[in-house]
Amino acid sequence: MIGRSVVVKSYIEVARHVVPEFWEPSRVLAIRKMAQSSMPVIDRFEPERYGRLLDRMAFKDLRRRDLEEAYAKADKIDIDIGIKLGEAELQMPIYVGDMSFGALSGNPNIAIAKAVTEAGAVAGIGEGGLHPEVAKYRNIVVQWASARFGMDMNLLTAGIAVNIKIGQGAKPGIGGHLPGRKVVDIIAKLRKIPVGSEAISPAPHHDIYSIEDLAQRVKALRDLTKKPILVKVAAVNKIHYVSVGVARSTANGIIIDGAGAGTGATPIVARDHLGIPIDIAVPVVDQWLRKDGTRDGFLMIAGGMLYSPLDVAKIIALGADMANLGTAALLAMGCIMCHACHTGGCPTALTNMIGSGKELDIEWGSALLRNYLLAVSRGLKAVLYALGMSSIKELVGRRDLLQIRHVDEELASAIGVELAEPGETAWLDKNRRVIFPREYYEGVHIPIIGMGGVVPGYTTPARRLLDVLRIEAVQVTRPSVDPYREDVDVSVKFGRLVLDTPVVVPAIDEAAEDAAYIMGAAVLGDNCKYEEYCLGSFKPAITPPGEIDIDSGVIIIDERMGGEKPLEAAVARLHRKLMETGRRRETLIVAVGDLYNGADIYKLAALGADLVAPLSAFQQVVQRVKDLPKGERRRRYENLIANLTAELKVLMGAGGVTSYMHTLVGNLDLLRSLDGRVGEILGVEIAGR
């Protein structure tokens, strides 16, 4: 304990966000109520029109009145919800994790280990070494991650199982990132790195490049520890292939982390656009494992925005054996969802820098978490009781008990759940406000954030069709690429035009044109200062999005001109048409529109664009720097170009894509749609297919 530290042992007001998020105050308050009472709370019983699939689902034969009656006596219901993990007998099918010492600030790690051991759940300790106080508790799962931070036999022999972390839902295909300011003495000692150094894990395991490599690692760790070996992966577009590979590796189970899951630090662009939601991944994986004959005896743990007893019951009915409650556990212990985990300044002493003057009261935090876990487990028993079941095993994979509303037929078919009322899955609001971080232009650092709960078009409104597309990240079946350490080529060549980035800079300011020249970017304009980078010098055909019949030269599709189709649809159609006619190499497709980040550039490229002009990003910057001297403005534009390019490289690396022109442009297989209609318009497969 630090002598003069402020000890946190009370809840504070929940953060409120300008843009809607999944973890809105009402959900947080429901969790707090369970944590304070140890009794379940009914939250969002009726199917909703927007949001997660879980929120649009209901058990066909479960009435609210019956559930309320069961919840009222939930602490007296005796139904078996226990599960075996190796030799350990857990009293509830709940996994809390994987949160490292470093991402969390020590006392929260201890509180979690204490709470799960007392409640009969289990927690993953994450990457970063074994805190000596955490080691005293039995119900923990240690982690073998890509950086091997703090790895030794003392760590490997602790707890009841080992998980090999390939990826996590908030940043699939991307390594862990603990900012240097949080690497204080004790963190440095346990991780075996210098004080103050950034702890950046490699994106891939450099000894696991295939299922065969994974199988060797699983066997080696099992032989060494004599414990069950789990493999943790993110829910990515091809999660069904990944899961079959993990099952065939002889691992005892898989931990699947869905899009929107929490984290200590991740690029915002990765959190919001990589991977697929857990409620799509789980039923698809369950179906594939059953077809493959590898489902029996193989444990599936699923997480990503789960928090209520009904959530746990539904995810198990979809096909999981256990639920991973990570963010919800922190919310039970006081998290207010302020997204400041990576800064070291957490107001609730959960993710703050050790020694900063605040610390969580261990007894207070562990008691709340224990109560919350008891409330969820009691609620789960009540659901089973109301459904007429006597064991959790009866619920696993019972998709026939569920109905879903307000989604399209194709998605309902993909997850194997009866569609009671069709609708459009995507949640679109073209007027949704966009938060544009200052990091984009103030320095060469792509915007980073902590925690999750954001999946555009799914948990939050999407501005446009592009947002509904999810980007692929590789897991296990082939390695991701680390753009910080490995080469990712984003150059574009067309005739005499040779560019270092596909980012196109609008000619809105002479300083912006100077920045484009320095950064090797094209300029959208006619009489540009630097002719060799000026798209106008190529006498381009400029057209609104629609039916485009031009088949050679530079074609600029500019949505500011109106048009019959969305920009993304026009790009995809033109690319397909040129491929069919054999004229694709003779054209350069430039997409111009209301675009903000590296994900917009990636997705339009995968749909068929060669160059992308993110007008909204530059308009944000020009408004904020217009009163600065020309040299300062130029530096801000340089930073923006560099950061948009860096985001693009991060997303490419996550998917193992190393060449923009040769592998990304026109590669629809790198995208999946959360909505069947949107997928049909853009020629993109539905998620889960």
Side-chain angles (χ1 to χ4, degrees):
M1 303 284 282
I2 299 165
R4 297 184 181 277
S5 285
V6 174
V7 178
V8 175
K9 51 180 178 180
S10 62
Y11 284 138
I12 62 176
E13 187 177 354
V14 180
R16 297 180 182 273
H17 302 104
V18 174
V19 177
E21 294 191 8
F22 174 76
W23 296 111
E24 61 185 8
S26 66
R27 293 187 200 267
V28 180
L29 294 176
I31 291 171
R32 288 184 176 185
K33 187 173 181 180
M34 288 189 276
Q36 291 171 314
S37 69
S38 76
M39 290 296 287
V41 168
I42 296 178
D43 189 44
R44 290 169 169 79
F45 180 81
E46 299 298 332
E48 299 190 349
R49 181 168 294 276
Y50 302 112
R52 304 176 303 168
L53 297 194
L54 290 181
D55 291 329
R56 309 183 200 199
M57 285 181 198
F59 285 100
K60 289 186 280 190
D61 299 325
L62 184 61
R63 296 183 302 174
R64 185 184 182 101
R65 185 179 65 187
D66 294 338
L67 188 61
E68 288 172 345
E69 291 175 358
Y71 271 20
K73 57 183 179 182
D75 57 334
K76 299 178 178 64
I77 294 174
D78 184 19
I79 285 180
D80 179 18
I81 60 168
I83 194 163
K84 237 186 143 173
L85 180 55
E87 298 302 314
E89 298 277 355
L90 302 177
Q91 294 173 34
M92 59 183 73
I94 296 175
Y95 182 103
V96 176
D98 290 271
M99 293 176 272
S100 72
F101 178 42
L104 301 187
S105 52
N107 283 10
N109 303 85
I110 302 167
I112 290 170
K114 184 176 189 293
V116 297
T117 300
E118 291 173 354
V122 66
I125 68 166
E127 179 182 24
L130 181 61
H131 189 295
E133 291 299 312
V134 171
K136 295 178 181 178
Y137 295 97
R138 179 172 180 269
N139 285 23
I140 59 173
V141 174
V142 303
Q143 189 169 87
W144 178 276
S146 62
R148 312 289 195 262
F149 287 130
M151 188 58 61
D152 56 26
M153 282 304 297
N154 179 55
L155 188 152
L156 280 175
T157 54
I160 59 177
V162 178
N163 90 51
I164 300 173
K165 177 199 169 188
I166 303 296
Q168 64 185 98
K171 44 187 171 184
I174 297 173
H177 182 191
L178 184 65
R181 61 181 164 285
K182 294 184 73 173
V183 182
V184 297
D185 289 348
I186 187 170
I187 300 294
K189 181 179 178 182
L190 284 178
R191 292 196 177 218
K192 302 177 182 178
I193 59 176
V195 173
S197 63
E198 285 202 306
I200 300 178
S201 309
H205 286 251
H206 288 299
D207 56 356
I208 301 176
Y209 286 98
S210 65
I211 293 297
E212 292 75 18
D213 290 343
L214 176 65
Q216 290 179 352
R217 182 57 59 203
V218 167
K219 184 178 187 305
L221 288 173
R222 186 186 291 118
D223 290 346
L224 187 64
T225 65
K226 313 301 181 190
K227 293 177 180 176
I229 307 300
L230 308 172
V231 177
K232 180 176 181 179
V233 298
V236 292
N237 294 354
K238 296 184 176 66
I239 185 62
H240 37 310
Y241 300 133
V242 172
S243 300
V244 169
V246 171
R248 291 186 180 186
S249 77
T250 75
N252 299 83
I254 189 169
I255 304 170
I256 306 176
D257 213 20
T263 187
T266 185
I268 295 176
V269 74
R271 181 198 68 173
D272 294 355
H273 298 280
L274 283 171
I276 63 173
I278 196 64
D279 41 16
I280 295 176
V282 163
V284 171
V285 167
D286 184 61
Q287 292 172 61
W288 273 69
L289 291 175
R290 291 181 189 279
K291 289 176 187 175
D292 190 59
T294 47
R295 184 67 181 92
D296 290 346
F298 184 71
L299 192 69
M300 193 197 313
I301 303 170
M305 299 185 293
L306 307 179
Y307 73 100
S308 70
L310 274 171
D311 278 357
V312 176
K314 290 174 188 176
I315 207 69
I316 290 173
L318 286 174
D321 297 291
M322 295 179 68
N324 183 348
L325 308 180
T327 300
L330 294 182
L331 290 165
M333 295 195 295
C335 171
I336 62 170
M337 199 52 61
C338 66
H339 300 299
C341 317
H342 61 298
T343 67
C346 174
T348 60
L350 291 168
T351 65
N352 56 312
M353 186 173 70
I354 296 170
S356 63
K358 247 182 203 179
E359 60 181 17
L360 179 77
D361 183 280
I362 294 172
E363 292 301 323
W364 179 79
S366 66
L368 286 169
L369 179 54
R370 183 178 62 250
N371 284 347
Y372 168 65
L373 296 174
L374 287 173
V376 173
S377 65
R378 287 168 174 170
L380 180 59
K381 288 180 180 181
V383 172
L384 291 170
Y385 175 82
L387 291 173
M389 296 181 178
S390 59
S391 167
I392 191 68
K393 293 176 183 176
E394 297 177 49
L395 186 60
V396 176
R398 292 295 306 275
R399 291 179 288 279
D400 59 299
L401 300 178
L402 295 167
Q403 279 185 337
I404 191 165
R405 288 175 166 77
H406 314 308
V407 302
D408 56 82
E409 293 180 4
E410 190 174 356
L411 186 57
S413 173
I415 64 172
V417 174
E418 179 185 324
L419 181 58
E421 183 180 347
E424 293 184 1
T425 306
W427 180 7
L428 293 167
D429 178 4
K430 65 180 180 180
N431 297 316
R432 179 178 72 84
R433 180 175 173 181
V434 174
I435 302 298
F436 189 79
R438 300 174 68 88
E439 293 98 317
Y440 268 123
Y441 59 92
E442 288 193 339
V444 186
H445 300 286
I446 62 177
I448 302 292
I449 200 165
M451 296 314 291
V454 176
V455 181
Y458 190 73
T459 63
T460 58
R463 291 182 314 109
R464 55 186 307 149
L465 302 186
L466 211 61
D467 291 343
V468 183
L469 303 182
R470 305 301 298 175
I471 294 171
E472 174 69 319
V474 291
Q475 304 273 279
V476 180
T477 50
R478 62 192 182 92
S480 53
V481 174
D482 192 333
Y484 302 106
R485 298 176 174 94
E486 302 173 70
D487 184 44
V488 175
D489 179 16
V490 294
S491 64
V492 178
K493 298 177 183 178
F494 183 75
R496 59 183 170 83
L497 185 66
V498 180
L499 304 170
D500 294 327
T501 174
V503 177
V504 176
V505 180
I508 51 177
D509 181 349
E510 187 178 349
E513 294 188 50
D514 290 340
Y517 176 75
I518 291 168
M519 301 300 292
V523 175
L524 181 66
D526 292 324
N527 300 311
C528 312
K529 187 173 180 181
Y530 305 96
E531 185 178 357
E532 64 267 41
Y533 289 102
C534 185
L535 292 179
S537 68
F538 288 82
K539 296 183 172 40
I542 305 175
T543 177
E547 301 294 327
I548 301 168
D549 295 322
I550 309 157
D551 61 4
S552 64
V554 176
I555 305 173
I556 298 176
I557 308 176
D558 191 337
E559 70 179 6
R560 291 175 299 180
M561 301 171 67
E564 303 167 352
K565 294 180 179 293
L567 173 65
E568 42 271 77
V571 166
R573 181 191 176 280
L574 178 58
H575 172 75
R576 286 196 302 270
K577 179 181 176 183
L578 293 172
M579 289 295 291
E580 290 168 1
T581 60
R583 304 297 298 273
R584 184 62 182 90
R585 291 190 180 184
E586 300 169 28
T587 61
L588 187 80
I589 300 176
V590 184
V592 179
D594 180 19
L595 311 166
Y596 281 92
N597 54 42
D600 289 341
I601 297 168
Y602 181 107
K603 292 174 184 178
L604 277 165
L607 290 172
D610 299 294
L611 299 177
V612 180
L615 296 184
S616 299
F618 283 94
Q619 288 162 356
Q620 287 278 340
V621 176
V622 76
Q623 289 301 314
R624 300 184 193 190
V625 306
K626 61 185 177 182
D627 296 326
L628 295 178
K630 180 181 175 183
E632 287 298 315
R633 299 201 311 275
R634 190 204 74 224
R635 277 190 284 275
R636 300 300 197 277
Y637 293 124
E638 287 176 22
N639 293 340
L640 176 59
I641 298 165
N643 286 324
L644 291 172
T645 304
E647 284 189 334
L648 174 64
K649 287 185 175 183
V650 164
L651 296 172
M652 288 172 62
V657 177
T658 57
S659 173
Y660 179 85
M661 288 300 291
H662 294 137
T663 317
L664 176 58
V665 173
N667 189 349
L668 294 178
D669 191 49
L670 295 170
L671 302 174
R672 290 292 184 272
S673 174
L674 295 178
D675 181 284
R677 184 185 68 88
V678 172
E680 184 178 356
I681 291 170
L682 301 180
V684 174
E685 288 273 6
I686 192 80
R689 294 296 192 191

